[in-house]
Amino acid sequence: MTADAISLDCRLTMPASSLDTIVSLCKRRGFVFPSSSVYGGLGSTWDYGPLGVELKNNVKRAWWRSVVHERDDMEGLDAAILMNRLVWKYSGHEATFSDPMTDCRACKTRPRADHVFAAQKGRDPKGLAEINAAIEAKEISCPKCGSKDLTPARPFNLMFKTSVGPVDSGDDAGLVYLRPETAQGMFVNFGNVLDTMRRKLPFGIAQIGKAFRNEITPGNFTFRTREFEQMEIEYFVRPGEDEAAHEMWIAERKNWYLKLGMRAENLRMREQEKHELAHYAKRCVDLEYLFPMGWSELEGIANRTDYDLRSHSRSPENPDAVGELKYFDQEQKKHLVPYVIEPSAGADRATLAFLCDAYEDALVKEPPAEEVAKLRELVESFARSVGRREGMAADVKQRLVATAEAIATGLPATLPRLIGLMEDSEAATIEVMKKVRGVGEKIAEEHTRTVLHLHPRLAPLTVAVFPLKRNDPRLVEMARGLKRDLQRAGLRTVYDDTGAIGKLYRRQDEIGTPWCITVDFQSLDDQTVTVRDRDSMQQERTKAADLAQALAARLA
Ligand code: GAP
C-alpha cells in the first residue's frame, strides 16, 4: 500500500464553515445552479445539475429502500400534485395554512407578526385580533429597525393557486392548489391501499414528491425554497398504540441519517413546544442538523392523531366526502379510525445536510516555509485593514479580524480555513484580500484538497477509471474496457484522461467519488489495477476481474 500524499496523521482538516463554501462548490462542480439564470434568475429557485441530480436521486433511493423495501409494513404511492380543492378545505389548509404578516413602513421589511409578538411580549398571541391590538397600541416594534410604524397584520396563505380547464374565468370555479405537502395524497388513498393490498394495522404509506409553498422568507440556498421535494410517511396504528409507534419512528429516522454517515454530533432531536405544533398534531419531534447557519429542522416526526382520516370522512362537518376512512378491526370486531405517525423529511434539505456534513478542506502537503511566511504577512495585513475599515458592521469586523488572526498564527495548518475566508463575500470587500488570494490560492491548490466524504451509496459517481498515460493505446483500451465492465455491473462509472493522475484524484475527491482506478503498465502484464480510496488516500492493487464484485459488495 502507498499513500499519494503525506501520512494521514498529519492531515489537518476543516469542515465547511459557511454556506457560501457549499454554494460555490455546487456551482463550480455542477451540483446546483441558480434557476433561469439566462434571464437573471428567479429568487430562491435552484436547478440540480448533472452531479446534484445523481446525489439527490441517491438520497431518495436510500430513503425508499430503507422505509419501503426493507420493511414488511410499508407500501409506496405516487399521488397527483393537483387534487380536488376540497382536500385542502377539509385538511384545514385553506383556513389555517397561513402566516400573519405585518409590513414595517420604515424599513419596508415584512416580518411574521406572531413571531414578533411572541419575542417581544414573552408569550404567544391568542389570535390576529390580539396581534393587531398590540400593533395599534404600539406595544411591539419592527425586529429589524425598531420602528413601531407597523401595518395591521394580515394572514398570508402559503398555498400556490392555479386553475384547471381551458379558460381562467376569473372566479374560483376551476381553482386548484399546488399541494403544499404530499401527505394528503396518502390520507385520501388510505382506503384504496388498505383494500387492494389487504393490509392490517399497523402499516404505512410512503411517498416522495414535489410540494410548493409561497414562502415569505425563502433562503439559505436549497434549505427553504418555494418548490421542494418531500419524503413522507403516514404510518397508521390503532389508537393507544400511537405513542410507542412515534418513539419507534423517531429512532428509525435518526438512525437512517447516521447509517448514511452523518456525524452524530451534528444531529439532534428537539421536542416542539405546544405553540409550535401544527393544527393537526398532538406531538412533534424535529430532527435538527447543525447547518453552517445554525441548528435547523431537517425532518419533523409528528403524531397527527386521527385528525386527517376523520376530516376526510363523511360527517355533519364534511357533507362533501363520499364515505368514511376507517378500518375494521378483526380482533375487536369493530370499526375504528387509525391514528397516524408522520415522519416528514425534505429531500432537498437532506441532500444539503449530507453535502455540508461530507465537506472537508484538508492540508495534505507542507508548503515551503518562505511561501508560508509571505502568506502570513498578507493575512496579518488583511486583519489590520479590516480593523481600520469604516462602515463595516461591528460583528462582521470582529469575526473577520478574529478569523484572520487565528489563521495567520496557525499557518500552514490553518490553510484549509483560509480557503473559507478567501470565499467569504464580506472579506472580498477588503482590497488586500486580492493579494491574499493571489498567493493563497496557489498554495492551497498545491497543498490542500477539498473532499466530500459522502457515503458511497450517496456519492454521485461511484468509480472513476484513468489510464496512467493517455497516449498509450493499450492503457486507454484496458481502462475503457474496465469502465464498461463496471458500468454493466451497475456501478456509476466515468472514464477520464484529461490530466495528470494527481489532478484527476483531486477532481474526484471534490465531488465525493469513493474509488479511483488507475490502469498502469503493470496492469498490462498481470491484469491488476490500483484502487485508490478517497478517504484514506491509500492505494492497493487488485485484480481487475474482481473489481466489480468487490465494489458492489461495499455498496450493499
Ligand atoms: N406533512 C407535514 C409537513 O409538511 P413540514 O414540517 O411543514 O411538515 C416537512 O415539512 C419537511 O419538509 C421539513 O422538515 C423540511 O425538510 C421540508 N420542507 C418544508 N418546507 C420546506 C421548504 N420551503 N423548502 C425546503 N424544504 C422544506
Side-chain angles (χ1 to χ4, degrees):
M1 287 217 178
T2 58
D4 70 339
I6 59 173
S7 88
L8 268 184
D9 297 339
C10 54
R11 270 201 304 148
L12 293 149
T13 62
M14 197 197 77
S17 57
S18 76
L19 212 49
D20 286 349
T21 311
I22 299 293
V23 175
S24 153
L25 172 78
C26 283
K27 275 195 217 163
R28 192 169 69 241
R29 297 308 313 271
F31 281 89
V32 180
F33 307 122
S35 174
S36 329
S37 57
V38 296
Y39 291 109
L42 174 67
S44 298
T45 50
W46 302 94
D47 297 339
Y48 286 82
L51 297 181
V53 65
E54 297 289 346
L55 174 61
K56 189 158 95 155
N57 279 346
N58 288 344
V59 168
K60 291 188 283 183
R61 207 172 287 127
W63 182 88
W64 192 265
R65 170 173 157 167
S66 152
V67 307
V68 181
H69 291 178
E70 289 180 353
R71 296 184 64 103
D72 298 324
D73 53 357
M74 294 288 299
E75 302 288 352
L77 186 79
D78 184 9
I81 288 175
L82 301 179
M83 303 174 82
N84 189 315
R85 179 186 169 182
L86 292 173
V87 170
W88 305 107
K89 174 177 174 185
Y90 290 106
S91 70
H93 283 78
E94 270 195 342
T96 64
F97 198 58
S98 59
D99 292 336
M101 310 302 295
T102 174
D103 289 299
C104 171
R105 292 194 183 96
C107 71
K108 311 292 178 216
T109 53
R110 181 176 284 176
R112 264 187 70 168
D114 53 338
H115 287 179
V116 176
F117 185 102
Q120 296 179 16
K121 304 273 270 181
R123 65 176 176 82
D124 291 328
K126 293 197 183 76
L128 205 58
E130 192 179 19
I131 296 174
N132 283 335
I135 289 175
E136 171 105 31
K138 305 225 176 290
E139 290 167 7
I140 57 177
S141 56
C142 170
K144 177 137 186 262
C145 73
S147 164
K148 294 191 169 165
D149 194 4
L150 303 174
T151 62
R154 283 162 301 150
F156 185 88
N157 196 292
L158 301 180
M159 286 195 290
F160 277 104
K161 291 175 178 174
T162 187
S163 56
V164 291
V167 181
D168 182 358
S169 53
D171 56 21
D172 278 350
L175 171 65
V176 289
Y177 298 104
L178 300 186
R179 68 182 176 197
E181 60 170 13
T182 68
Q184 298 302 322
M186 293 182 269
F187 294 129
V188 298
N189 275 294
F190 167 75
N192 295 334
V193 175
L194 180 70
D195 295 346
T196 54
M197 305 313 286
R198 303 154 61 86
R199 279 288 179 182
K200 293 211 168 1
L201 292 182
F203 78 94
I205 307 179
Q207 176 166 227
I208 298 176
K210 289 269 188 182
F212 303 83
R213 294 180 191 176
N214 201 359
E215 297 281 5
I216 315 288
T217 48
N220 283 322
F221 195 31
T222 54
F223 178 82
R224 180 170 292 108
T225 49
R226 297 194 173 102
E227 171 182 347
F228 54 97
E229 261 182 299
Q230 289 190 312
M231 308 186 292
E232 294 200 293
I233 295 167
E234 307 304 333
Y235 193 73
F236 303 96
V237 298
R238 286 184 186 80
E241 294 174 5
D242 51 314
E243 287 173 14
H246 198 182
E247 294 301 334
M248 178 274 286
W249 275 111
I250 293 168
E252 282 286 311
R253 293 302 306 138
K254 185 172 178 203
N255 275 337
W256 181 76
Y257 293 99
L258 295 176
K259 275 197 230 149
L260 286 169
M262 196 168 276
R263 281 174 283 182
E265 67 270 26
N266 288 344
L267 205 54
R268 73 174 186 192
M269 285 184 300
R270 190 182 69 84
E271 189 81 33
Q272 275 195 11
E273 292 183 28
K274 281 270 171 294
H275 71 87
E276 294 177 87
L277 291 174
H279 61 277
Y280 48 72
K282 161 175 159 185
R283 183 187 170 211
C284 185
V285 172
D286 284 349
L287 269 176
E288 294 189 333
Y289 178 75
L290 186 55
F291 286 94
M293 66 277 186
W295 286 103
S296 312
E297 180 188 332
L298 190 54
E299 163 161 359
I301 304 155
N303 182 337
R304 287 181 83 129
T305 69
D306 54 3
Y307 177 89
D308 300 273
L309 293 183
R310 279 195 193 282
S311 301
H312 293 305
S313 292
R314 194 173 178 87
S315 69
E317 291 77 40
N318 183 349
D320 294 312
V322 294
E324 288 179 68
L325 294 173
K326 57 190 183 182
Y327 172 83
F328 184 73
D329 193 334
Q330 293 288 355
E331 283 166 31
Q332 300 180 38
K333 300 276 179 259
K334 63 170 194 184
H335 280 100
L336 59 86
V337 182
Y339 267 44
V340 176
I341 303 302
E342 178 195 66
S344 173
D348 308 87
R349 251 182 224 185
T351 302
L352 181 61
F354 280 119
L355 267 175
C356 294
D357 212 68
Y359 185 96
E360 180 190 63
D361 281 318
L363 182 69
V364 288
K365 212 161 57 168
E366 285 285 330
E370 60 278 17
E371 287 185 29
V372 173
K374 188 171 171 197
L375 187 57
R376 182 175 298 118
E377 233 172 71
L378 284 169
V379 177
E380 283 168 352
S381 156
F382 167 83
R384 286 194 299 274
S385 291
V386 175
R388 287 194 299 269
R389 174 69 173 267
E390 283 174 14
M392 184 178 251
D395 57 333
V396 176
K397 210 169 186 174
Q398 200 179 6
R399 175 177 68 79
L400 290 180
V401 171
T403 309
E405 285 176 350
I407 290 172
T409 311
L411 280 171
T414 47
L415 206 44
R417 279 186 76 185
L418 180 63
I419 297 172
L421 187 64
M422 291 190 298
E423 284 177 358
D424 190 303
S425 47
E426 263 134 357
T429 63
I430 305 292
E431 188 62 22
V432 71
M433 180 41 85
K434 277 196 201 125
K435 287 191 184 158
V436 174
R437 290 177 67 170
V439 175
E441 280 175 359
K442 184 171 168 289
I443 303 182
E445 160 94 19
E446 287 167 20
H447 303 277
T448 65
R449 69 169 184 154
T450 297
V451 54
L452 287 183
H453 296 284
L454 288 167
H455 189 287
R457 241 190 256 162
L458 299 185
L461 305 178
T462 312
V463 195
V465 185
F466 320 132
L468 184 64
K469 295 223 174 303
R470 68 171 159 182
N471 52 8
D472 189 310
R474 296 166 307 158
L475 297 182
V476 169
E477 189 188 332
M478 184 170 170
R480 285 198 182 278
L482 187 57
K483 185 245 172 185
R484 275 194 300 274
D485 293 346
L486 295 174
Q487 215 164 22
R488 264 188 224 119
L491 301 167
R492 180 91 175 94
T493 312
V494 293
Y495 168 91
D496 196 358
D497 63 7
T498 57
I501 296 294
K503 200 160 197 158
L504 296 182
Y505 283 159
R506 296 289 180 277
R507 250 188 235 161
Q508 296 299 327
D509 287 346
E510 206 183 19
I511 60 171
T513 310
W515 299 293
C516 290
I517 316 281
T518 305
V519 174
D520 56 19
F521 292 105
Q522 186 181 334
S523 312
L524 300 175
D525 292 336
D526 64 5
Q527 303 298 301
T528 64
V529 290
T530 63
V531 182
R532 187 254 196 189
D533 181 273
R534 173 197 67 198
D535 297 336
S536 68
M537 297 191 287
Q538 301 290 307
Q539 297 170 28
E540 63 183 10
R541 286 207 86 84
T542 308
K543 272 195 166 8
D546 296 344
L547 259 183
Q549 207 180 1
L551 297 183
R554 290 168 77 174
L555 280 181

